[in-house]
Amino acid sequence: MDLTRELVAGSTGEFMTVRHLVVSGSQSEVGRALAEEARGRGWRPVPADPTVGRARRTWFERNWPQHHARMAGAAQVAGVAPDDDAVHLDGLTSLPVGSGCSATWSAPSRTADRHTLVGRNYDFFTLGQQQLVAMMTGEQGPEDEPPMSSRPYVITSVPDDGPATTVVTMNELDGCMEGINEHGLVVVLLVADAESTNAPVPAGPQVGISSGQLPRFVLDTCRDVEEAKQALLTAKQYDLGTPLHYLVADPSGRAFVWEHGHGGVEHIVEADGDSLSVTNHLLHRRPDPADPPRDNEDTMLTHQRLEKLGERVKAGPMSPERLRAALDEVRFDGRKSGDSPLRTLWRTVFDLDDRTMATRFYLGDAVDGEPRYSPETVFRPALT
């Protein structure tokens, strides 16, 4: 196993510090390295109902063998048997509650250099976990708590027995918020319905894949959009009360949004033409053109952001520079958010043909409210 660790953004005194882990070896060795890193941040296996623990382990073994092997590596770090059903050997992926992300895809037919592009803003609160729950419930939270979003990771995994991936994760090392694999497949997650978001259900890991594990599951097991559709349709999924939806795209010029509707109905929202944008409302609920939905104090400008992105994408041939400008136009900062501690914590531009992920990270606000960002760093799902 080879492991390198590098600080790629931020420093002491900044809001955020970002580390890039590059791990190669077997999936078990990758899991061991990630568990070692997580243990340094306080991770320990949590008790499990043995019936649930056994069923989860069996489901992973059958449907997501890469994750199952990484759990065996985590067991070595925890000092327990890999088939111990009394503990969970992966972390419960805490979901970004109430975040207001934006993402957009452009097919090769719409881009200046004929490359498939995906761009996204990752928007989240600059609060600790208890502070965030207190804000949502109207209760009093602790005054001094480390922000959940201040220590993200970029993780490049180059396993011997599966596709290489590079992902960005906010707070859990076995899930991710977005990523790209060596085939050029990209997945990004967003909150599905900002207006109806509530505090998550206080339950432990369930059988199947959690909302935060879903992007990594797709990147580990799929090569293109069609494989991703089949993987998602046949996978058991749960969200613990924080529904998300996902933009999935590949270099061939195909893309879709995956989301769940009322009653758990699964929806594949296909691109209408050569572009597709998504923010924080469900796309399968087709609005009445004569009565378009309007934003209110609970929607986090989801409809306005979607309209602006759509206009910018369709205004002419898309390029990485124009994509960055469009994302910056819909970002959250200290001036747009008012008293809300909501910020665009990172911006990513994916070039699916080049297999690159270019990301910059939020470092804090200037006196005038202008956000400060790190220089953009280009990552690839391979050893570099």
Side-chain angles (χ1 to χ4, degrees):
M1 177 187 72
D2 291 322
L3 169 66
T4 63
R5 182 187 292 104
E6 178 186 9
L7 183 68
V8 292
S11 62
T12 302
E14 306 284 10
F15 172 79
M16 184 180 290
T17 56
V18 186
R19 287 172 173 78
H20 181 204
L21 301 182
V22 181
V23 190
S24 61
S26 67
Q27 293 285 5
S28 179
E29 289 173 326
V30 170
R32 190 174 78 226
L34 296 180
E36 289 279 11
E37 189 74 21
R39 184 169 64 174
R41 299 174 52 176
W43 172 80
R44 298 292 184 274
V46 297
D49 178 316
T51 302
V52 175
R54 186 177 309 115
R56 290 187 81 235
R57 185 165 48 78
T58 300
W59 193 92
F60 288 137
E61 186 175 16
R62 293 173 178 172
N63 300 280
W64 191 8
Q66 298 89 347
H67 186 70
H68 182 264
R70 291 196 291 265
M71 287 170 58
Q76 297 177 39
V77 175
V80 300
D83 59 353
D84 188 341
D85 297 325
V87 293
H88 293 298
L89 289 167
D90 55 345
L92 171 63
T93 305
S94 301
L95 273 304
V97 182
S99 54
C101 306
S102 306
T104 186
W105 161 81
S106 296
S109 57
R110 184 163 287 280
T111 62
D113 61 2
R114 309 293 291 182
H115 282 202
T116 304
L117 298 176
V118 170
R120 81 98 104 247
N121 286 339
Y122 182 76
D123 309 323
F124 195 67
F125 297 98
T126 57
L127 297 174
Q129 186 169 12
Q130 296 179 61
Q131 292 172 334
L132 180 57
V133 172
M135 184 183 76
M136 297 180 66
T137 59
E139 300 174 356
Q140 184 67 37
E143 294 184 3
D144 186 16
E145 184 184 12
M148 295 171 62
S149 56
S150 62
R151 298 294 181 267
Y153 278 82
V154 179
I155 301 173
T156 298
S157 303
V158 187
D160 300 335
D161 49 354
T165 61
T166 288
V167 303
V168 185
T169 180
M170 187 181 80
N171 58 336
E172 298 286 348
L173 301 186
D174 65 339
C176 68
M177 281 64 234
E178 64 205 59
I180 183 170
N181 70 15
E182 66 181 52
H183 305 296
L185 184 68
V186 163
V187 186
V188 304
L189 65 74
L190 310 91
V191 163
D193 189 357
E195 189 172 12
S196 303
T197 296
N198 297 304
V201 174
Q206 306 295 298
V207 179
I209 50 175
S210 71
S211 298
Q213 291 175 328
L214 186 148
R216 197 156 194 166
F217 164 73
V218 173
L219 295 172
D220 275 347
T221 61
C222 302
R223 293 173 295 182
D224 55 35
V225 155
E226 291 307 315
E227 287 189 1
K229 290 177 182 178
Q230 291 301 309
L232 291 171
L233 287 167
T234 56
K236 191 174 187 295
Q237 303 162 45
Y238 64 95
D239 60 34
L240 294 181
T242 310
L244 305 183
H245 53 182
Y246 309 82
L247 175 63
V248 183
D250 67 26
S252 72
R254 294 174 295 176
F256 69 96
V257 169
W258 172 258
E259 56 190 28
H260 288 86
H262 180 68
V265 177
E266 298 170 328
H267 294 271
I268 293 174
V269 182
E270 302 280 3
D272 183 15
D274 50 11
S275 65
L276 177 63
S277 297
V278 57
T279 50
N280 303 113
H281 57 276
L282 293 165
L283 297 185
H284 73 269
R285 297 176 183 170
R286 303 290 183 180
D288 180 357
D291 185 24
R294 305 295 180 186
D295 284 309
N296 57 50
E297 61 181 11
D298 297 320
T299 62
M300 296 184 175
L301 303 178
T302 179
H303 302 292
Q304 181 186 117
R305 286 183 283 121
L306 186 69
E307 182 177 356
K308 284 186 177 181
L309 280 176
E311 290 173 353
R312 298 300 176 265
V313 168
K314 294 177 180 178
M318 183 55 66
S319 67
E321 292 73 24
R322 292 189 68 245
L323 180 52
R324 289 179 177 92
L327 292 169
D328 286 350
E329 187 174 350
V330 298
R331 76 185 178 200
F332 285 97
D333 57 37
R335 294 164 300 183
K336 294 180 183 176
S337 300
D339 295 332
S340 172
L342 180 64
R343 299 291 185 270
T344 295
L345 297 183
W346 63 76
R347 183 198 68 194
T348 298
V349 172
F350 295 93
D351 185 317
L352 281 62
D353 295 81
D354 286 347
R355 279 42 168 187
T356 58
M357 182 181 84
T359 309
R360 70 176 189 182
F361 296 92
Y362 172 76
L363 301 180
D365 289 340
V367 175
D368 62 357
E370 181 75 13
R372 296 184 296 107
Y373 288 97
S374 68
E376 194 175 73
T377 302
V378 178
F379 305 96
R380 293 175 172 81
L383 296 174
T384 57

